[in-house]
Amino acid sequence: MFMSILFYVILGIIILQFLIDAIVDYLNAKKFKEAIPQELDGIFNKEEYIKSQRYKTANYRFGIFSGSFSVLLTLSFLLFGGFAWVDNLARSITNNPILIATIFFGIIMIGNSILNVPLSYYSTFVIEEKFGFNKTTKKLFFIDLIKSWFLTAIIGGALLALVIWFYNWAGTNFWVYAWAVIATISIFMNMFYSKLIVPLFNKQTPLENGSLKTKIEAYAKKVGFELQNIFIIDGSKRSTKANAYFSGFGKQKRITLYDTLVKDLDEEEIIAVLAHEVGHYKRKHILFNLTASILLTGLTLYILSIFINTPSISLAIGVTVPSFHAALIGFGILYSPISEITSLIMNYLSRKFEYQADDYAKKTYASSPLITSLKKLSKTSLSNLTPHPAYVFMNYSHPTLIDRINNLKK
Ligand SMILES: [Zn+2]
């Protein structure tokens, strides 16, 4: 039976999620025109503020278009039997379940990526370009795209094949083995991402000797933080937007500063940003996030193992033969309201962690350079100074600028 109840549940989930996002985006957009809160006065002058409002509006409109495009695509794929068509095509090529699944996901991923190219092209070369953020060339854009497709195909393809192999070998116990492999990859990636993956896209150079490095080392020594790896990454080859992040642990831990950040901030401000990153490490946020994501993966895989043999979950996406890969897609959509909730919880915790890291920087260094650096970074990225609370609750991994400044001034 093609039109099962689960089929309608799947359609309902997709439509409902789209509507919730659209409503929250709309509420957020309605606040674009609001006056800047007094505490944030002086970040933008009038002309710059109008520019930032135009930027937010351009992104909002683009978001409506790309969100509608993607939801219509998914719905029509479901309604017109797209999954069944791809499944039959894969089955006409081979009988091997691992190869069928790899071809099935391969076709869907490639199709989806190709359809999304015009969208990301527009976002980069029309919107970001218009507001002066874009530094990517068309050549680099396409090279990046091809590299990331290859990476996804190799890592994703190998993982998928392995998980199905576990399933054929161990039945519903596959989840334990799949979990062990995914957990190992997560830990490995957390430690070696900067060494193995980042160099495929960016150049990282150790921070040169000089007053900045001396000051950073003095700070690290003061707080008892062993820091051998400080790298500058050439983010400026793609965008003028600035960032800094912490990765790895143990001997592999490193702080990566964007060259744009080093250019935009003075030395005191850079150290304040760095102190914030050290705060994340000292408060064990990195370890917590990694552990939480591994536990969540285990839970999801366990629930998947309960439903994987239920044929109606496969059939709900319109295919005629139940299979692991079809059930994976059906389960993925049916489970998405739950993963939506876990991501809300993770965002909530992440915002708490940002306050803790800010507090750490304030305690061990100073609050005023962190405040000025946050203001500068908001200005150079034309960020939203008046987001709607519902939007913040749903989407922000960091507190709003005004909340962070108020916390730092406490
Ligand atoms: Zn942070």
Side-chain angles (χ1 to χ4, degrees):
M1 197 177 74
F2 176 56
M3 298 286 178
S4 68
I5 294 173
L6 275 184
F7 177 77
Y8 290 107
V9 173
I10 284 181
L11 293 185
I13 287 174
I14 295 171
I15 294 169
L16 195 66
Q17 275 173 347
F18 173 73
L19 288 177
I20 292 173
D21 283 343
I23 292 168
V24 174
D25 285 353
Y26 171 74
L27 290 175
N28 197 43
K30 265 179 67 175
K31 284 179 64 98
F32 289 166
K33 289 209 175 72
E34 267 185 24
I36 308 176
Q38 214 168 20
E39 293 91 329
L40 302 181
D41 235 14
I43 294 183
F44 294 116
N45 64 35
K46 197 158 185 242
E47 200 180 309
E48 287 162 341
Y49 195 58
I50 291 172
K51 188 180 165 194
S52 90
Q53 287 170 319
R54 288 210 186 105
Y55 180 59
K56 288 180 287 190
T57 309
N59 272 323
Y60 169 60
R61 290 195 182 129
F62 177 69
I64 297 177
F65 177 79
S66 57
S68 314
F69 174 76
S70 136
V71 86
L72 283 176
L73 196 68
T74 314
L75 290 178
S76 33
F77 207 68
L78 276 162
L79 285 165
F80 298 115
F83 288 113
W85 184 77
V86 177
D87 193 46
N88 289 334
L89 183 69
R91 285 176 192 284
S92 71
I93 299 172
T94 171
N95 284 324
N96 180 310
I98 295 180
L99 283 178
I100 294 175
T102 317
I103 296 170
F104 178 82
F105 275 108
I107 293 175
I108 289 170
M109 299 279 272
I110 292 169
N112 188 50
S113 307
I114 291 174
L115 287 168
N116 276 303
V117 171
L119 295 176
S120 80
Y121 185 94
Y122 183 86
S123 165
T124 308
F125 294 106
V126 178
I127 300 179
E128 296 291 293
E129 184 82 40
K130 186 177 165 193
F131 291 92
F133 293 124
N134 180 44
K135 289 279 172 274
T136 308
T137 60
K138 281 164 193 167
K139 188 180 160 199
L140 183 62
F141 176 84
F142 285 107
I143 292 176
D144 280 353
L145 209 60
I146 291 165
K147 280 185 193 165
S148 59
W149 284 356
F150 263 104
L151 269 180
T152 316
I154 293 167
I155 299 174
L159 197 60
L160 177 73
L162 196 60
V163 170
I164 297 178
W165 187 80
F166 285 143
Y167 176 68
N168 291 337
W169 169 65
T172 49
N173 283 334
F174 80 95
W175 76 274
V176 181
Y177 305 98
W179 188 24
V181 170
I182 295 173
T184 311
I185 295 176
S186 303
I187 295 168
F188 181 82
M189 277 299 179
N190 200 287
M191 293 188 73
F192 297 106
Y193 184 79
S194 303
K195 266 192 184 158
L196 294 175
I197 308 289
V198 178
L200 297 174
F201 296 93
N202 282 91
K203 214 162 93 188
Q204 302 170 104
T205 35
L207 177 62
E208 282 171 27
N209 289 327
S211 71
L212 178 61
K213 193 175 181 184
T214 317
K215 282 181 191 166
I216 291 176
E217 281 167 349
Y219 169 78
K221 203 173 164 206
K222 182 186 140 200
V223 295
F225 184 76
E226 206 185 312
L227 184 60
Q228 258 121 38
N229 308 310
I230 309 165
F231 285 87
I232 308 288
I233 192 170
D234 59 344
S236 61
K237 80 173 184 184
R238 293 197 179 80
S239 169
T240 59
K241 289 178 180 171
N243 200 0
Y245 63 90
F246 194 102
S247 59
F249 40 80
K251 281 242 178 303
Q252 295 299 331
K253 65 181 189 279
R254 67 158 84 190
I255 285 177
T256 308
L257 305 169
Y258 276 53
D259 54 355
T260 40
L261 184 100
V262 179
K263 193 181 121 255
D264 290 343
L265 304 183
D266 67 33
E267 288 185 351
E268 303 287 297
E269 289 166 339
I270 295 170
I271 295 164
V273 169
L274 197 110
H276 169 98
E277 297 300 329
V278 173
H280 278 308
Y281 187 83
K282 288 268 186 180
R283 293 300 207 95
K284 303 209 166 28
H285 299 155
I286 320 276
L287 205 60
F288 176 89
N289 286 336
L290 185 62
T291 315
S293 96
I294 289 175
L295 290 177
L296 276 175
T297 307
L299 181 70
T300 311
L301 283 169
Y302 171 69
I303 300 174
L304 171 68
S305 78
I306 297 173
F307 291 103
I308 197 75
N309 283 331
T310 313
S312 50
I313 293 194
S314 289
L315 303 181
I317 64 162
V319 297
T320 44
V321 190
S323 62
F324 186 90
H325 58 270
L328 202 57
I329 294 206
F331 176 81
I333 302 173
L334 291 167
Y335 190 72
S336 61
I338 296 174
S339 49
E340 198 70 44
I341 292 170
T342 49
S343 89
L344 284 179
I345 296 171
M346 291 306 280
N347 268 343
Y348 173 81
L349 290 175
S350 168
R351 292 193 298 269
K352 290 269 165 242
F353 290 167
E354 290 306 318
Y355 285 128
Q356 292 179 3
D358 279 350
D359 288 342
Y360 184 87
K362 176 170 139 184
K363 213 173 70 198
T364 60
Y365 192 64
S367 61
S368 61
L370 190 53
I371 293 175
T372 54
S373 74
L374 290 173
K375 283 184 173 175
K376 274 189 191 173
L377 294 176
S378 289
K379 179 185 170 127
T380 49
S381 59
L382 296 178
S383 70
N384 187 3
L385 302 185
T386 56
H388 192 280
Y391 191 87
V392 174
F393 177 74
M394 298 265 298
N395 301 306
Y396 273 38
S397 62
H398 287 56
T400 61
L401 179 65
I402 186 155
D403 286 342
R404 286 180 78 177
I405 290 178
N406 285 338
N407 174 62
L408 281 165
K409 278 184 177 165
K410 253 198 311 210

